[in-house]
Amino acid sequence: MTARRSAGLLLFRRTERGPEVLLGHMGGPFFARRDAGAWTVPKGEYDPDEPAWEAARREFEEELGVAPPDGEAVPLGEVRQTGGKIVTVWAVEGDLDPAAVVPGTFTLEWPPRSGRTQEFPELDRVSWFGLDAAREVIVSAQAAFLDRLAEHSA
């Protein structure tokens, strides 16, 4: 069995305090009361026949409801998350007002085994974080992307 794959874009901007990254808080009931480990690079799964870069751009727009920025794509490589999913990410410099985000949604049976389905936002909010603050809240495996971005920005 092959590992599931996701691709995403890590939007970053340069500020007087150093680089900041845009992360999304995962939506749905499982993450509603969590902060640490509940923030992610905007990303999503893709089929093996779709190029990862195209999937990253598509997923950015699906998850945030805004077109991905143009600009130089800095490859940040891939990581394997705890559940086995392989995530590939590129960093792109740009700015985005979190208030402009219109997140995509997913459907989930909730509460479990209730027979009722509910719709939840893929990301229930997005925010800019300095790299140190981002390390405190991002999915642990994805912290490697922050380190790689810091190396690139140095």
Side-chain angles (χ1 to χ4, degrees), residues 23-27 30-41 122-125 134 136-140 142:
L23 300 178
H25 185 271
M26 292 183 273
F30 300 117
F31 300 99
R33 291 185 174 85
R34 288 182 54 196
D35 205 39
W39 291 80
T40 184
V41 172
E122 298 254 6
L123 300 172
D124 58 21
R125 62 190 182 275
E136 294 178 15
V137 297
I138 198 167
V139 171
S140 60
Q142 293 180 25

Side-chain angles (χ1 to χ4, degrees), residues 24-95:
H25 185 271
M26 292 183 273
F30 300 117
F31 300 99
R33 291 185 174 85
R34 288 182 54 196
D35 205 39
W39 291 80
T40 184
V41 172
K43 61 173 180 43
E45 291 187 14
Y46 64 98
D47 293 324
D49 59 336
E50 182 180 17
W53 169 246
E54 290 177 19
R57 291 182 58 79
R58 174 182 52 76
E59 286 293 336
F60 185 93
E61 188 159 3
E62 284 180 14
E63 296 227 340
L64 301 179
V66 294
D70 291 322
E72 178 190 357
V74 178
L76 299 180
E78 61 184 36
V79 298
R80 182 179 296 269
Q81 295 186 162
T82 306
K85 182 186 289 184
I86 297 171
V87 180
T88 306
V89 167
W90 288 264
V92 178
E93 189 168 0
D95 204 355

Side-chain angles (χ1 to χ4, degrees), residues 28-29 105-112 114-121:
T105 60
F106 68 96
T107 303
L108 176 71
E109 181 181 5
W110 192 260
S114 67
R116 293 190 357 240
T117 57
Q118 294 186 47
E119 199 167 271
F120 297 96

